[in-house]
Amino acid sequence: MVSLTALLPRLSKARGAAALLGPAFVAAIAYVDPGNVATNTQAGAEYGYLLVWVVVAANLMACIVQYLSAKLGLVTGQSLPEAVGERLAKRSRIAFWLQAEVVAMATDLAEVLGGAIALNLLFGLPVLLGGVITGVISTVLLAVQNRSGQRRFEYVITALLLVIVVGFLAGLFVAPPSGAETLNGLVPRFGDLNSVVLAAGILGATVMPHAVYLHSALARDRHGKQSPERLPDMLRTTRTDVGAAMILAGAVNIGMLLLAAAALGGRSGVDSIEGVYGALNGTLGGGIGLLFALGLLAAGFASTSVGCYAGSVVMQGLLRMRIRLLLRRTLTLIPALVFLAAGADPTKSLVISQVVLSFGLPFALIPLVWFTSRRSVMGDSVNRRPTTVIAWLVTAVIVALNIALIVLTLTGTA
């Protein structure tokens, strides 16, 4: 029988480990946002189980990227934007920030649009009004972080993540996918050129620049730069945090594709979120459609607040200036609302936002791998050679596919 004296240190260690959990679940919101809904459901509806392997690969890549981001924040006590800004001249820092700010606006457009579409589906609200409401709710969520601290914000975002999980996966219990077809979908292959474009879109919607920037800041703010003695345990627990969050996000992404393959395969008119909602209503019933719309609403609310938080991290790290988070929320909301007020097509707007996001990925991934692979930056926690090789390979694949997506979209092939 274990004595209380022997048990107390174990309990204390367990509490310390549990305190590390949370940042990855906030970053994981970027992996289940409205852009993911659009690409995954379209892939399943058009190609069945063909691109299951792409979703799995994308989430494995995301797991590596997010761990390296958290690792940088823990070891150096700096966010990725701070590490970049420290090594750039003033003009270069401003140029880097400008591209990151454009990417942040594109991110906000997709997230606000997702919430607006959900409110339109649920209550028939005009898209512009839905965008305003989404912005107001996200401002309230940011106020939680501003007043109650990061930990409370993580709780709220994790709760919304659970709503997303239920909303997007409930349909699988009504229309379970084929196990044999799912396994067959794990074999890497493509069908035609459009399936390659969709694969690039899935990857572009999965690995997102603002999640990479933010995760390093969340790890930094929670724990600061750690002593060498504590780092091994903290990094192990961080791996658990990232692994659990990415498994959850990956399950949602795979589930969305499988649901579309099982219930919507071969149906017309499912190349938009509204079309998917209508098809789910008609095929699986109003209850599943309602849960899907609620999941989309939670994704819009959570992802736009997380995106705005990430934008403030980038601004602070690169420009070395801080503005009130709520003021930034208001300023970054304006471009998205102008876009909606102009009557832009929701589906095309999502596609445009994903292409813009593709431009920003190399600026986040290349410095991240470079920093975590250098002993002068990371000390004894520098990446091991196999990790460095895998990380550069992942970066090369992501950048190449996103360049392909940009070229195919701009040339009209996509």
Side-chain angles (χ1 to χ4, degrees), residues 92-102 314-315 318-319:
S92 298
R93 279 193 286 113
I94 292 174
F96 197 103
W97 169 74
L98 285 174
Q99 66 80 26
E101 201 64 41
V102 171
V314 172
M315 175 179 281
L318 290 169
L319 299 187

Side-chain angles (χ1 to χ4, degrees), residues 247-334:
I247 287 173
L248 189 60
V252 173
N253 284 316
I254 294 169
M256 283 190 283
L257 188 147
L258 295 180
L259 177 61
L264 309 179
R267 293 179 66 97
S268 59
V270 290
D271 55 351
S272 67
I273 293 178
E274 298 94 330
V276 170
Y277 170 78
L280 288 176
N281 263 337
T283 305
L284 304 182
I288 297 301
L290 175 63
L291 288 174
F292 175 84
L294 289 173
L296 180 64
L297 185 63
F301 287 167
S303 57
T304 189
S305 59
V306 168
C308 182
Y309 191 3
S312 69
V313 164
V314 172
M315 175 179 281
Q316 182 182 344
L318 290 169
L319 299 187
R320 299 167 188 171
M321 62 179 289
R322 185 195 298 265
I323 65 172
R324 289 180 179 273
L325 203 55
L326 302 186
L327 174 60
R328 179 178 173 84
R329 165 71 286 185
T330 303
L331 294 175
T332 55
L333 183 62
I334 292 174

